[in-house]
């Protein structure tokens, strides 16, 4: 209940903040945008944006999509519903709140968990990102228009769209991190104004959101807490360099430190008392492993007696795409985001240091948090390169938490550029170019976020007849094995659809074709996928075709020894 | 962990030297002193009187102030249980710290006892009988179960090294229901979960018959559970106290088995990686069961039949790493002796198969039920079933001694992947070599009972349905047996010399070869070839391994007449019977012997100075002329034909689809036609450019016959490919083919692939995309 309550309270907080924002908008800082959109229009547009991206994600594959995390969570939701308890066999070991939220949503609506994750939650995830993003950015940037622009930029980050669309907790952790950052900003603003009742309200909301975030995922849910802590140390450094700011910002810095410290207590409360598994299985292992590997880096590659197989995630990533150049093209916005936000950040850092007495608090905090999340992402890159168990895709995971703090800076920088260019070039031309660029990045984002077969090799869609074929086989076989393709595509699809799979102790294997499997699945999508990966398909021509539903076929290997069946 | 219950005991010091002065200062210089706070004597306490006291085990040079081991004994007046707590030295000390004043004793061990005993009935020793109705808790690292690890040099290993001091590690239950002072069963359970590790979690041993037993009481006969020294296993014919201590270090290293598995006449043992539960029928794995029998009923501490099982039920997580065992798999090593048991073994039949266990066998006094066959039925359970893999070993001359039977030629040598069907070919070296003195045979292409038979050719026992075998005769000689006809009986014996060449390769030289096909014996020995007609049955006797005393006696009685008639493996010539018609050729070499549908055929290489002698009439075929001759025996008409042999002539043909793309499988059909009169036999390689498409190590293309094989192949690169066949020293070019590159789905095809060819979803998609772009435009127009 606490997570649900906190979301509710946060929504009330957003409305309250909007009222106070409207009251003060006339007297506060001058907005950077020329035309100021009204709040309702902004909300409607953000909603439209979130809805369309979410709908596209679902409709692109007619709802027939899944991937590893989505499949795993669909199973966990079913197990949770069956157990009726937070403690069930196979429970998510990094947090309980997402399973609880989604499973209850499934129970309340009557929509099966698997369908909920595939058909509805991608839309909700994009909607939450749009609305919470808008709510936060309009305050960070002190402008409804700029907030809306920043919100739209969020959707040009395909990694973020994918993150909030797929079936795991991140649709909540990312969007609630945005909401928590808003409550952090608001409570610090209210502190400077001495409005203690409003301050207290925001503080409570912030703590509830932090509790919810950590309950969702003890590692990524703590990222804002870690970010605030680093931001606090930044503040100390800046204030030491510029003592003139002590009078204005000393109290704010102290409050930031206090909030960060108490937030760690909440992290401890969740991971030690409420859900100790999260500590045992995640933070502790990651930290102890990290320390161990720092002191004995060669052990990092030791996988326990077996040949060490360190895979550099940055070297293999291009394999997932049709070509290196296509990958570079559809990922180009990420580099624009990194470069543009960094340049804007540098400009703002200079402004903060130079005008520490006058620069708005929201700008100072945004600069600090951007730096903090940037540091965490850099650490993620290091972990990936070290090949720690926690790594392999840590940078990608952290990027989803870094991007929400980079996007407002890029929006600011982009508007500055548009304005500056408009002085020299006809405004219509500049806007047209910006819109064209934006539309192009939108298409790139959608292609990459959905891992579209036009650009990607790692497909997330499946044809229902493939699942139907495997289900038929699983029903008929016991203690048998089937090879379903060069990737886990069909494995994920089948397990997503049939969470209770396993009663017949069958193995559904993927990746390398193995002679160990007596059965093989073939289908049009499977054949196309094999060509995409340039992988050799199994030699089914000599085997017996024992099932065919028109689109998918199952072959049984002809026994070649007395022990093959 | 709780501290010793009497943390600070006010003791009435009653130093009582243990009853016998010899026991007080026994071997290895371990002395014992009893200290009682209640004034009760050790005899009385041991016999069941209420009270308590300490037993201090110490090295004389250290004195009782620094004991290596302390046991606190207590018996309650109200409860029918005697209790003992055993303290060892803390990690940092080599003795148990005790504080002893005039009338007080305190054990200063912070973690508490490492062993706790509870004895049913409230007594330890009564009338010279020891109470073996015990519940024992092991709370720390002690090698207390088979599968633990301890070495004096390196200390504990395996699970024992992972247990912390004070951590509940092993639970032991020992029972002697008839109170005869001999424990009847011993059940041990490993308590920590050790997730993902294949440690033995269950040890169970039940004494199934009387076995001579000499009791050893250790240094404290009135509490006879501490040994002077020892190991985990009990020696044959003796029962030592279970607690084995490193007296110098003050640490317990073993808690020995109290009912021995191997070192008595009969036992029913289970060693499993699965834990036992009392609330359901248990399905266990591994040595499940491990059964020891004394079929002679005169055993002196050794069994003379051992059935050692290796069983892995379907889904066993410990058997095949990273994969699910698809079905129940079990192998039973069935070793027996024709004499009273002495750890020497005459025969072994090892079977492997996939039979499920469906029994309900009560163990541990009926507290637990397992699905394994009972001790009494297990031998019959094995012999009455058919098994797809069986090996047989007869110990002809080996000095072989073991407590677990004959290890050689385990059936799993074939490879678990092969047995599960994950691999097409077995381990080719599975049944090639054997220890000197052992005669061994194997079978893995037929599902049969483990039946044996006596062959009239050599008068020895063989495995029915065996496909081959080896008898290591020593001096680099071996007798290899084969089954040419593919029926149930071995029909070829080849005496060969096997040596290692300087390059490490094995070099074999055939000395003599004897084959029985139909009513004929064919002996080839260098340039001498003998053909003898001898009407004998394929088998003189068929019998199963013994399962009980009656069948054991019958087995010996049945094979005894043949043992005296066994043939000399070094003299195959002597295997031919006197008085039956035979024909001997000199200057003639026999080769290419093969069973045909009509009978059998072989090739005679006749030299210029060949001669013959004998009384076997082969009609006109008796006269041979120099050169190569094919001899063909037609069984139905009992006639022989002979034809001059034209050499083998192989004509290959390849059929392949010419419309081939990469990444999709295509197939090649190869036909080899032999138009000669001799069989073609040798390696064949089908090549695709520089790639070997398929290689046949030894392909037989029969004379005037053909062979067809189909090979599937998938090209991963486009281009032109030439195929060629290499056989013997010839290379023949075959067909060429053009392979086109497979094209990836793209454009509209890729757009529609996920949603099929329906236009509606695609249009809906475009509509959503358009809406997204409009939203963006609406946002940016404000900028």
């Amino acid at each position: 209940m606490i997570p649900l309550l906190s979301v509710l309270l946060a929504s009330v907080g957003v409305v309250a903040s909007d009222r106070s924002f409207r009251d003060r908008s006339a007297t506060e800082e001058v907005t950077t945008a020329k035309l100021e959109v009204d709040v309702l229009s902004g909300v409607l547009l953000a909603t439209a944006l979130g809805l369309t991206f979410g709908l596209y994600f679902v409709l692109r594959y007619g709802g027939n999509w899944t991937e590893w995390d989505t499949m795993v969570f669909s199973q966990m939701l079913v197990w949770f519903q069956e157990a009726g308890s937070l403690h069930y066999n196979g429970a998510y070991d990094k947090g309980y709140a997402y399973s609880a939220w989604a499973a209850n949503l499934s129970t309340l609506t009557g929509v099966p968990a698997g369908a909920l994750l595939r058909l509805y939650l991608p839309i909700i995830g994009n909607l939450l990102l749009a609305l919470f993003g808008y709510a936060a950015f309009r305050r960070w940037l002190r402008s409804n228009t700029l907030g809306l622009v920043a919100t739209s930029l969020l959707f040009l980050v395909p990694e973020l769209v994918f993150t909030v669309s797929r079936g795991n907790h991140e649709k909540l952790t990312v969007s609630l991190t945005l909401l928590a950052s808003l409550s952090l900003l608001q409570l610090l603003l209210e502190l400077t104004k001495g409005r203690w009742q409003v301050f207290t309200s925001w503080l409570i909301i912030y703590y509830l959101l932090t509790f919810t975030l950590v309950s969702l995922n003890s590692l990524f849910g703590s990222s804002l807490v870690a970010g605030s802590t680093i931001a606090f140390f930044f503040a100390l450094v800046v204030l030491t360099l510029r003592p003139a700011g002590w009078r204005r910002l000393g109290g704010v810095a102290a409050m930031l430190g206090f909030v960060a410290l108490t937030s760690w207590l909440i992290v401890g409360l969740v991971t030690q008392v409420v859900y100790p598994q999260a500590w045992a299985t995640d933070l502790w292992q990651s930290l102890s492993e990290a320390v161990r590997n720092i002191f004995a880096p060669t052990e990092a590659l030791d996988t326990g007696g077996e040949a060490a197989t360190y895979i550099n995630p940055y070297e293999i990533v291009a394999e997932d795409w049709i070509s290196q150049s296509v990958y570079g093209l559809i990922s180009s916005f990420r580099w624009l985001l990194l470069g543009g936000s960094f340049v804007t950040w540098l400009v703002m850092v200079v402004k903060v240091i130079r005008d520490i007495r006058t620069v708005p608090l929201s700008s100072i905090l945004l600069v600090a948090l951007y730096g903090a999340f940037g540091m965490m992402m850099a650490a993620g890159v290091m972990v990936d390169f070290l090949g720690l168990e926690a790594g392999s895709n840590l940078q990608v995971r952290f990027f989803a938490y870094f991007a929400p703090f980079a996007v407002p800076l890029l929006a600011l920088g982009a508007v500055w550029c548009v304005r500056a260019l408009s002085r020299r070039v006809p405004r219509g031309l500049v806007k047209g170019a910006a819109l064209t660029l934006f539309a192009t990045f939108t298409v790139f984002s959608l292609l990459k976020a959905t891992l579209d077969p036009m650009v990607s090799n790692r497909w997330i869609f499946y044809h229902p007849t493939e699942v139907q074929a495997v289900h038929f086989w699983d029903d008929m076989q016991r203690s048998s094995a089937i090879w379903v393709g060069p990737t886990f595509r069909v494995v994920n699809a089948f397990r997503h659809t049939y969470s209770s799979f396993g009663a017949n102790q069958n193995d559904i294997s993927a990746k390398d074709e193995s002679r160990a499997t007596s059965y093989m699945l073939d289908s049009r999508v499977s054949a196309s996928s094999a060509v995409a990966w340039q992988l050799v398909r199994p030699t089914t021509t000599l085997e017996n075709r024992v099932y065919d539903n028109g689109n998918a076929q199952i072959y049984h290997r002809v026994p070649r020894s007395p022990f093959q069946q | 962990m709780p501290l010793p219950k009497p943390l600070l005991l006010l003791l009435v010091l009653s130093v009582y030297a243990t009853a016998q002065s010899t026991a007080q200062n026994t071997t290895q210089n371990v002395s014992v002193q009893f200290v009682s706070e209640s004034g009760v004597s050790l005899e009385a306490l041991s016999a069941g009187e209420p009270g308590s006291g300490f037993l201090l085990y110490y090295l004389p040079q250290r004195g009782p102030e620094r004991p290596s081991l302390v046991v606190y004994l207590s018996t309650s007046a109200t409860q029918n249980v005697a209790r003992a707590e055993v303290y060892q030295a803390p990690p940092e000390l080599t003795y148990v710290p005790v504080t002893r004043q005039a009338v007080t004793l305190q054990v200063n061990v912070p973690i508490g006892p490492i062993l706790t005993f509870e004895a049913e009935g409230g007594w330890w020793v009564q009338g010279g009988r020891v109470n073996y109705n015990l519940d024992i808790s092991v709370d720390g690292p002690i090698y207390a179960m088979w599968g633990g690890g301890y070495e004096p040099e390196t200390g504990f290993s395996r699970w024992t090294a992972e247990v912390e001091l004070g951590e509940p590690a092993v639970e032991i239950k020992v029972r002697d229901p008839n109170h005869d002072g001999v424990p009847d069963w011993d059940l041990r359970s490993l308590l920590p979960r050790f997730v993902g590790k294949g440690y033995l979690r269950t040890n169970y041993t039940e004494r199934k018959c009387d076995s001579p037993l000499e009791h050893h009481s250790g240094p404290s006969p009135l509490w006879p559970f501490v040994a002077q020294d020892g190991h985990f296993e009990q020696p044959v014919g003796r029962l030592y106290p279970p607690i084995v201590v490193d007296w110098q270090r003050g640490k317990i290293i073993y808690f020995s088995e109290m009912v021995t598995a191997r070192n008595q006449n009969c036992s029913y043992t289970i060693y499993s990686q699965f834990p036992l539960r009392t609330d359901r029928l248990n399905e266990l794995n591994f040595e499940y069961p491990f059964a020891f029998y004394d079929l002679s009923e005169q055993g002196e501490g050794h069994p003379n039949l051992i059935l050692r099982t290796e069983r892995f039920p379907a889904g066993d997580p410990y058997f095949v790493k990273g994969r699910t065992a698809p079905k129940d798999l079990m192998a039973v090593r069935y070793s027996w002796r024709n004499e009273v048991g002495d750890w020497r073994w005459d025969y072994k039949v090892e079977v492997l198969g996939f039979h499920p266990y469906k029994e309900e066998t009560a163990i541990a006094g009926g507290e637990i039920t397992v699905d394994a066959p009972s001790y009494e039925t297990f031998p019959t359970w094995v012999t009455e079933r058919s098994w797809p893999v069986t090996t047989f070993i007869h110990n002809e001359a080996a000095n072989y001694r073991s407590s677990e039977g004959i290890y050689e030629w385990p059936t799993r040598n074939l490879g678990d992947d092969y047995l599960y069907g994950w691999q097409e070919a077995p381990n080719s070296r599975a049944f090639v070599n054997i220890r000197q003195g052992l005669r061994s045979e194997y079978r893995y292409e037929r599902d049969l009972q483990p039946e044996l038979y006596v062959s009239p050719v050599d008068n020895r026992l063989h495995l029915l349905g065996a496909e081959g075998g080896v008898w290591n005769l020593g001096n680099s000689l071996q007798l290899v047996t084969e089954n040419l006809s593919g029926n149930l009986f071995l029909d070829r014996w080849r005496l060969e010399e096997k040596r290692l060449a300087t390059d490490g390769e094995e070099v074999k030289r055939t000395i003599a070869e004897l084959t029985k096909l139909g009513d004929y014996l064919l002996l080839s020995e260098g340039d001498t070839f003998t053909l003898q007609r001898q009407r004998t049955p394929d088998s003189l006797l068929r019998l199963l391994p013994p399962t009980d005393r009656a069948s054991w006696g019958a087995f010996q009685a049945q094979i005894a007449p043949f043992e005296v008639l066994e043939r000399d493996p070094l003299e195959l010539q002597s295997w031919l019977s006197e008085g039956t018609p035979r024909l001997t050729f000199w200057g003639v070499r026999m080769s290419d012997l093969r069973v045909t549908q009509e009978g059998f055929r072989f090739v005679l290489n006749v030299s210029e100075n060949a001669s013959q002698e004998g009384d076997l009439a082969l009609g006109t075929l008796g006269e041979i002329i120099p050169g190569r001759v094919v001899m063909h025996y037609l069984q139905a008409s009992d006639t022989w034909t002979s034809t001059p042999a034209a050499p083998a002539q192989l004509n290959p043909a390849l059929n392949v689809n010419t419309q081939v793309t990469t990444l999709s499988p295509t197939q090649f059909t190869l036909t080899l036609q032999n138009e000669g009169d001799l069989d073609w036999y040798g390696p064949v390689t089908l090549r695709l450019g520089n790639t070997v498409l398929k290689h046949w190590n030894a392909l037989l293309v029969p004379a005037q016959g053909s062979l067809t094989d189909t090979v599937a192949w998938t090209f991963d690169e486009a281009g032109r490919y030439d195929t060629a066949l290499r056989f013997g020293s010839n290379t023949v070019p075959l067909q060429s083919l053009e392979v086109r590159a497979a094209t990836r789905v793209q454009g509209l095809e890729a757009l529609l692939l996920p949603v099929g060819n329906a236009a509606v979803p695609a249009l809906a998609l475009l509509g959503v995309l358009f809406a997204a772009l409009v939203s963006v435009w609406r946002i940016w127009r404000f900028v």
Side-chain angles (χ1 to χ4, degrees), chain B residues 543-620:
Chain B
L543 69 176
L544 287 166
T547 57
D548 52 25
R549 178 169 171 75
S551 59
W552 179 71
F555 184 93
Q556 292 176 73
Q558 284 177 293
I559 63 166
F562 300 104
E563 287 178 334
V564 295
L565 299 173
E566 287 174 350
R567 305 290 192 186
D568 182 351
L570 298 173
E571 293 292 337
L572 296 191
Q573 175 75 35
S574 69
W575 293 22
L576 298 175
S577 304
E578 296 297 326
T580 51
R582 73 169 72 170
L583 193 59
T584 301
F585 299 88
W586 289 274
V588 172
R589 271 183 187 273
M590 190 267 280
S591 64
D592 297 337
L593 176 61
R594 172 163 66 83
V595 174
T596 66
Q597 285 185 333
E598 300 83 20
F600 59 89
R601 54 170 273 164
F602 53 87
V603 174
L604 292 181
N605 297 277
V606 184
S607 66
E608 291 290 339
N609 54 356
S611 61
Q612 64 183 72
E613 180 186 301
D615 53 356
L616 178 64
L618 296 179
T620 55

Side-chain angles (χ1 to χ4, degrees), chain A residues 33-37 41 45-46 48-49 52-53 55-56 59-62 145 148-149 152-153 304 306 322 414-415 418-419 427 431 434-435 438-439 442-443 446 452-457 459 461-463 478-480 505 507 514-517 524-525 528 530-532 534-542 560-565, chain B residues 314-316 321-327 352 354 388-389 414 417-426 444-446 662-668 710-716 742-757 761 764-783:
Chain A
K34 282 188 175 172
L35 278 172
E36 185 64 356
V37 65
S41 299
L45 281 170
L49 200 61
T52 49
F53 271 79
L55 271 172
Y56 183 89
L59 287 176
R60 174 64 185 100
Y61 303 124
T145 300
L148 202 53
V149 168
S152 69
L153 290 180
E306 294 180 5
I322 190 167
V415 171
V418 168
R419 294 281 162 75
R427 184 171 169 77
K431 282 187 72 173
L435 267 173
F438 197 96
T442 302
V443 173
L446 289 171
D452 198 288
M454 287 191 279
V455 293
S456 167
N457 295 333
W459 303 347
F461 66 93
Y462 59 90
H463 200 281
R478 185 173 162 76
S479 299
S480 187
Q505 296 187 317
D507 258 356
S514 164
R515 304 301 294 178
T517 52
R524 182 164 172 253
V525 180
S528 303
V531 174
Q534 287 291 296
L535 290 175
V536 170
R537 288 163 64 202
T539 51
T540 51
T541 53
L542 298 181
R560 293 173 173 88
S561 87
F563 300 93
Q564 290 185 326
Q565 295 172 352
Chain B
D316 189 315
K321 195 175 181 184
R323 298 173 85 162
T324 307
K327 51 187 171 182
L352 180 143
F354 310 98
V389 184
L414 288 170
D417 282 7
Y418 172 73
L419 295 166
Y420 277 136
W422 295 337
Q423 248 178 26
E424 287 172 15
Y444 58 88
E445 292 178 357
R446 253 190 286 235
T662 57
L663 308 178
S664 291
T666 189
Q667 62 188 55
F668 301 79
T710 305
V711 181
W713 185 258
T714 305
F715 293 88
D716 55 2
T743 51
R744 178 196 170 100
V745 287
Q746 48 199 342
L748 189 62
E749 198 186 356
L751 183 71
L752 295 178
L753 180 67
V755 287
N757 290 325
L765 207 62
L766 288 174
V768 169
L769 189 59
F770 181 71
L773 292 174
V774 168
S775 302
V776 166
W777 176 76
R778 294 285 300 174
I779 291 166
W780 275 76
R781 80 188 171 89
F782 289 108
V783 176

Side-chain angles (χ1 to χ4, degrees), chain B residues 122 180 245 285 300 362 377 382 414 465 467 555 640 677 704 767 780:
Chain B
D180 61 356
V245 183
N285 77 341
E300 295 172 349
T377 62
V382 172
L414 288 170
E467 289 133 24
F555 184 93
W640 288 84
D677 295 314
Q704 300 296 335
W780 275 76

Side-chain angles (χ1 to χ4, degrees), chain A residues 367-537:
Chain A
V367 165
L369 285 176
Y370 176 91
F373 276 88
M375 274 183 67
M376 284 194 278
M377 203 177 69
V381 174
M382 281 173 59
V383 169
D384 287 346
F385 272 119
L386 279 171
L388 302 186
E389 200 174 309
S392 84
N393 66 351
L394 206 57
Q395 174 262 124
V396 174
R397 306 292 295 270
F398 270 132
F399 184 70
Y401 298 85
F402 165 77
F405 296 93
V407 153
L409 288 175
L410 179 66
L412 211 53
V415 171
W416 287 346
C417 285
V418 168
R419 294 281 162 75
L421 281 172
S422 297
R423 287 187 210 114
R424 298 157 196 259
V425 184
R427 184 171 169 77
L429 197 64
V430 174
K431 282 187 72 173
L435 267 173
T436 307
L437 201 61
F438 197 96
T440 308
F441 282 133
T442 302
V443 173
F444 287 172
S445 174
L446 289 171
L447 286 174
K448 192 178 182 192
T450 54
L451 286 91
D452 198 288
M454 287 191 279
V455 293
S456 167
N457 295 333
R458 193 171 293 283
W459 303 347
I460 58 172
F461 66 93
Y462 59 90
H463 200 281
T465 53
E466 294 179 295
V467 175
Q468 182 188 27
V470 179
H471 179 56
F472 172 82
W473 170 86
D474 182 47
D475 225 21
M476 296 290 147
Q477 291 293 308
R478 185 173 162 76
S479 299
S480 187
I482 189 170
W483 180 86
V484 294
T487 66
F488 283 94
R489 191 180 56 83
V490 177
V491 177
N492 293 339
F494 179 72
R495 290 191 165 170
H496 188 122
T497 312
Y498 297 100
S499 304
S500 55
F501 156 75
N504 286 348
Q505 296 187 317
N506 291 318
D507 258 356
I508 300 176
S509 63
K511 300 291 279 181
D512 302 327
E513 189 215 350
S514 164
R515 304 301 294 178
T517 52
S518 311
Y519 293 87
M520 294 164 287
L521 177 80
D522 201 10
S523 70
R524 182 164 172 253
V525 180
S526 223
S528 303
S529 174
V531 174
W533 283 106
Q534 287 291 296
L535 290 175
V536 170
R537 288 163 64 202

Side-chain angles (χ1 to χ4, degrees), chain B residues 656-673:
Chain B
V656 60
N657 179 8
T658 50
Q659 301 292 316
V660 184
T661 56
T662 57
L663 308 178
S664 291
T666 189
Q667 62 188 55
F668 301 79
T669 304
L670 176 69
T671 304
L672 293 169
Q673 177 83 38

Side-chain angles (χ1 to χ4, degrees), chain A residues 246-260:
Chain A
W246 269 110
R247 186 168 176 182
R248 179 184 170 219
L249 298 172
V252 172
M255 178 52 67
L256 183 63
F258 171 77
V259 167

